[in-house]
Amino acid sequence: ITINNPYVTTISAFIFCMIATAIILMISRIRGASPEVMVLTGVALSSLFTAGTMFLQFFASDTQLAAVVFWTFGDVSRASWSELGLMTVLVIISCIYFLFNRWNYNAIDAGNETAKGLGVNVERVRLFGMTISAMITAVLVAFLGVIGFVGLVCPHMVRRIIGDDQRYLIPGSCVMGGVLLLASDTVARLIVAPYVLPVAVLTAFMGAPVFIYLIIRGYKR
């Protein structure tokens, strides 16, 4: 069965993204919502879904296999104007939500008990935040493919520059992510011209060393 409708792909991506999110939240409730538990659960689920993708690739035709491989090479040039409009609307709505809850996230940074003492419904804020993050991630990945390390590296870079205050960290991360992606896309178009590298290749090459550096610096502090 071949599905050519990108919106069906988006809905499917969102459904399975929410399944993964629900599993992470469920395990976090059982084992405690520590960053280590959430990261390890995410790694395990990533391996599981990667195995599922490999299973589908094994039975795919040459054309289908090429399409899957091309999709894994995330690239911003593949989106149409209508898809770009949809992504823009969803990103703006998501940014408004997170900025509206900036004080709640500041309180949660101080600890769950402190946040609850300040009147923050920690479980609801965390659930809504992960749901919206899952939605926007599913839409962007479905339309653009997998572009890694942008959302992983940029918040840490911005945090080192402006601190942990979510009033500045959230918009700063958005700006830094856009700048990094734009710079990577520009380099990808010029580095081996007239050929155009997928932007995900550049973000991985730049993001992985930077993230390792940030981890090392974090442990030294």
Side-chain angles (χ1 to χ4, degrees):
I1 300 175
T2 302
I3 299 176
N4 295 319
N5 190 327
Y7 296 100
V8 175
T9 305
T10 301
I11 294 173
S12 300
F14 176 69
I15 291 173
F16 280 93
C17 192
M18 289 309 304
I19 291 174
T21 302
I23 294 174
I24 292 174
L25 289 174
M26 181 179 63
I27 295 177
S28 297
R29 283 180 175 272
I30 296 173
R31 300 292 300 175
S34 65
E36 293 80 7
V37 170
M38 300 182 75
V39 169
L40 291 175
T41 305
V43 170
L45 289 175
S46 176
S47 300
L48 177 63
F49 286 118
T50 299
T53 302
M54 294 172 62
F55 177 81
L56 294 176
Q57 289 177 338
F58 181 80
F59 293 100
S61 64
D62 292 341
T63 303
Q64 293 171 333
L65 182 60
V68 172
V69 173
F70 179 71
W71 175 77
T72 59
F73 295 155
D75 191 6
V76 296
S77 63
R78 68 180 59 178
S80 64
W81 284 107
S82 60
E83 294 168 352
L84 181 61
L86 175 62
M87 289 186 288
T88 301
V89 171
L90 292 177
V91 168
I92 291 175
I93 293 174
S94 301
C95 289
I96 292 174
Y97 170 81
F98 286 115
L99 287 174
F100 182 78
N101 285 276
R102 60 193 182 277
W103 291 111
N104 291 335
Y105 289 115
N106 277 335
I108 293 174
D109 280 344
N112 289 348
E113 297 302 323
T114 301
K116 291 179 180 179
L118 294 173
V120 178
N121 190 329
V122 176
E123 288 76 15
R124 186 180 66 182
V125 171
R126 182 174 288 128
L127 177 61
F128 282 7
M130 293 189 69
T131 301
I132 292 176
S133 299
M135 177 191 68
I136 192 63
T137 301
V139 172
L140 295 178
V141 171
F143 287 142
L144 303 179
V146 181
I147 302 176
F149 285 99
V150 176
L152 191 62
V153 171
C154 290
H156 292 282
M157 296 173 62
V158 175
R159 180 177 284 110
R160 288 188 170 275
I161 298 173
I162 63 177
D164 295 328
D165 193 333
Q166 301 294 332
R167 293 177 298 169
Y168 311 111
L169 182 59
I170 293 174
S173 298
C174 294
V175 173
M176 178 66 76
V179 170
L180 177 61
L181 187 59
L182 180 61
S184 300
D185 185 61
T186 302
V187 174
R189 294 175 183 276
L190 298 177
I191 191 170
V192 290
Y195 302 101
V196 179
L197 285 178
V199 68
V201 176
L202 269 297
T203 58
F205 270 123
M206 293 189 300
V210 171
F211 189 64
I212 293 173
Y213 169 76
L214 291 173
I215 292 175
I216 295 174
R217 284 291 301 273
Y219 278 117
K220 285 184 177 180
R221 292 180 61 182

